[in-house]
Amino acid sequence: MTVTNEHPATLAHAPLRIGLIGAGRIVERVHLPLVAALPGVTVAGLYDPDLARAREVAASGGGQACRSLEEFFGLDLDATLVACPNHLHAEMTIAALEARIHVLCEKPMATSVAAAEAMLKASDAAGRELMIAYTNRFRPEVVALKQAIEGGRLGEIKAIRCGWLRHNGVPGANTWFTSREKAGGGVLMDLGSHMIDLALWLTGHRRLLGVGCTTDRTMGQRGNADWYATSKATTRPTCDVDVSTSAFAVFEESLNLFVEVSWACSFPQDQTYLSVVGQRGAARIDTLFGLSPNGRRPARPLRLWTEGQPVAGRVAGATDLLQPYRKQWEYFVESLRTGRSLRPALNEGLGVVRLIEAMYKSAEELESGLGASYQVAANRS
């Protein structure tokens, strides 16, 4: 089913009224200022269960701080951002869609395949658009890589190696990020969802044949990335999610994917990399995604080779940290104004959730199997 707007002419000419669900730091620092600066857009309101926090954030960018979802949905919204803890993505998104409001939902789409499928069905039933905020698709070096692949410069893609490694900890130790109940997972769900989305997007979402995954919950001494979200807790950080994860997946047509992600690795600086190997050529991106101040962002992060020779021409990376987020918002708003369907990307978002769920299951099976082996060995001794 193709999702279309019921009132494209209205959205094409009238100012769009956009709301925001969630008053976390990503809304305060990124989404709210960008939405407020978009031409032809009005920030209508903001909802967060913490009303004081909602008022604090709303004061910086306009819009009404709402006491309830009912009050929020009563603001005659055209669209809303959903940027709350992961376990609420599906609930908040479905509620907004049922209120006939288009949605841009922060990644990950949901914490389970079942929840993601429910979101997709709600979008269809409401006839409203739903887009998952995979911001890194909008980076100029990633766009250039996608164009090179589609143009045949690398030939059929056979392997992707990618990683996002952070030195100084989780995005707020003792916050919801380190709670499996609220986050649905750890660094694989957080940073890994970005890398997996790019890998699947670049290669066309082939059928999955098998996965392997190993996780580590050790925080060590690097427990809090206070540049992102400072924990208010005074006790030792707690964590029941993965802090470092390595995973491998095999797809049809001999495509294989390796992804490594960490909130607390031993490299001195944060880093992001993406290597793509095809039958005719290869590509490599070396940079740093996200808002971290602890790493390098080269001016020319993309390198391309065809038949072993470097490809002429160099693509500049993002000129500022907010550029990819701005491009994402512009794409979302333009899609609503022109009636362009966002359903293809929504199906891709579901694919990311499926793969992450399979990887976590593999890690649990490995951990359970190792535990049983150790117990047998102990009994024998």
Side-chain angles (χ1 to χ4, degrees):
M1 173 180 177
T2 299
V3 180
T4 57
N5 298 317
E6 292 183 355
H7 54 293
T10 302
L11 295 186
H13 300 290
L16 287 180
R17 292 177 56 80
I18 294 182
L20 303 100
I21 297 176
R25 197 164 291 196
I26 191 69
V27 171
E28 179 183 27
R29 291 182 173 183
V30 178
H31 291 296
L32 181 54
L34 290 179
V35 174
L38 287 173
V41 168
T42 298
V43 178
L46 186 150
Y47 168 71
D48 190 282
D50 184 342
L51 182 58
R53 174 62 178 168
R55 286 171 173 166
E56 177 185 352
V57 174
S60 65
Q64 176 181 334
C66 297
R67 297 176 179 272
S68 66
L69 276 179
E70 291 73 21
E71 181 182 3
F72 179 75
F73 291 152
L75 296 177
D76 191 26
L77 300 175
D78 295 299
T80 186
L81 172 74
V82 170
C84 47
N86 297 346
H87 73 297
L88 296 174
H89 282 188
E91 178 184 341
M92 294 295 103
T93 294
I94 292 171
L97 291 168
E98 290 177 346
R100 319 296 285 179
I101 298 168
H102 302 287
V103 176
L104 174 63
C105 179
E106 263 292 354
K107 63 80 201 168
M109 182 176 181
T111 58
S112 70
V113 171
E117 290 176 337
M119 294 165 70
L120 193 149
K121 291 178 181 178
S123 175
D124 283 348
R128 289 296 182 268
E129 299 287 2
L130 169 58
M131 176 176 166
I132 310 305
Y134 282 114
T135 308
N136 295 301
R137 290 190 182 195
F138 296 88
R139 294 181 175 276
E141 66 271 28
V142 173
V143 171
L145 175 55
K146 175 73 167 175
Q147 292 171 344
I149 291 173
E150 292 181 342
R153 285 191 168 185
L154 277 61
E156 184 180 355
I157 305 304
K158 291 299 183 181
I160 292 186
R161 303 287 182 269
C162 58
W164 189 344
L165 306 173
R166 187 180 290 165
H167 169 74
N168 65 327
V170 302
N174 279 345
T175 67
W176 63 264
F177 287 96
T178 56
S179 166
R180 184 170 184 176
E181 179 183 1
K182 295 181 179 179
V187 69
L188 181 62
M189 190 73 75
D190 181 32
L191 306 185
S193 62
H194 282 291
M195 307 312 299
I196 290 171
D197 172 69
L198 290 184
L200 299 183
W201 182 56
L202 291 171
T203 56
H205 284 253
R206 307 179 199 183
R207 188 169 70 89
L208 179 65
L209 300 179
V211 301
C213 183
T214 180
T215 63
D216 185 358
R217 293 190 291 271
T218 306
M219 274 193 178
Q221 300 302 312
R222 298 179 295 276
N224 188 18
D226 55 8
W227 54 265
Y228 187 91
T230 304
S231 171
K232 296 179 181 179
T234 58
T235 58
R236 179 179 175 81
T238 60
C239 178
D240 67 351
V241 297
D242 50 307
V243 171
S244 297
T245 292
S246 297
F248 188 82
V250 180
F251 301 85
E252 281 186 327
E253 302 171 20
S254 303
L255 172 68
N256 62 82
L257 162 67
F258 172 76
V259 56
E260 59 174 345
V261 284
S262 178
W263 280 332
C265 73
S266 296
F267 287 109
Q269 289 189 313
D270 300 357
Q271 57 183 286
T272 309
Y273 72 89
L274 178 69
S275 294
V276 182
V277 179
Q279 290 182 321
R280 294 188 59 240
R284 173 87 179 189
I285 290 176
D286 286 288
T287 187
L288 176 57
F289 290 172
L291 305 178
S292 167
N294 183 33
R296 295 179 59 251
R297 293 180 173 86
R300 308 285 182 179
L302 172 64
R303 291 173 290 166
L304 288 168
W305 300 267
T306 299
E307 305 294 354
Q309 299 300 315
V311 175
R314 304 177 71 190
V315 177
T319 56
D320 68 76
L321 294 182
L322 298 188
Q323 181 183 357
Y325 298 91
R326 185 179 300 108
K327 292 292 185 181
Q328 175 181 260
W329 270 108
E330 290 171 353
Y331 181 85
F332 179 65
V333 168
E334 181 188 10
S335 297
L336 299 186
R337 290 196 183 283
T338 61
R340 175 174 54 201
S341 174
L342 296 170
R343 178 57 182 272
L346 183 57
N347 291 334
E348 294 164 359
L350 176 59
V352 174
V353 179
R354 287 188 189 281
L355 183 51
I356 289 176
E357 189 169 281
M359 287 175 171
Y360 275 133
K361 182 178 180 181
S362 172
E364 290 173 356
E365 291 174 349
L366 176 61
E367 184 175 352
S368 175
L370 288 175
S373 299
Y374 292 150
Q375 185 63 48
V376 169
N379 290 337
R380 287 176 178 172
S381 62

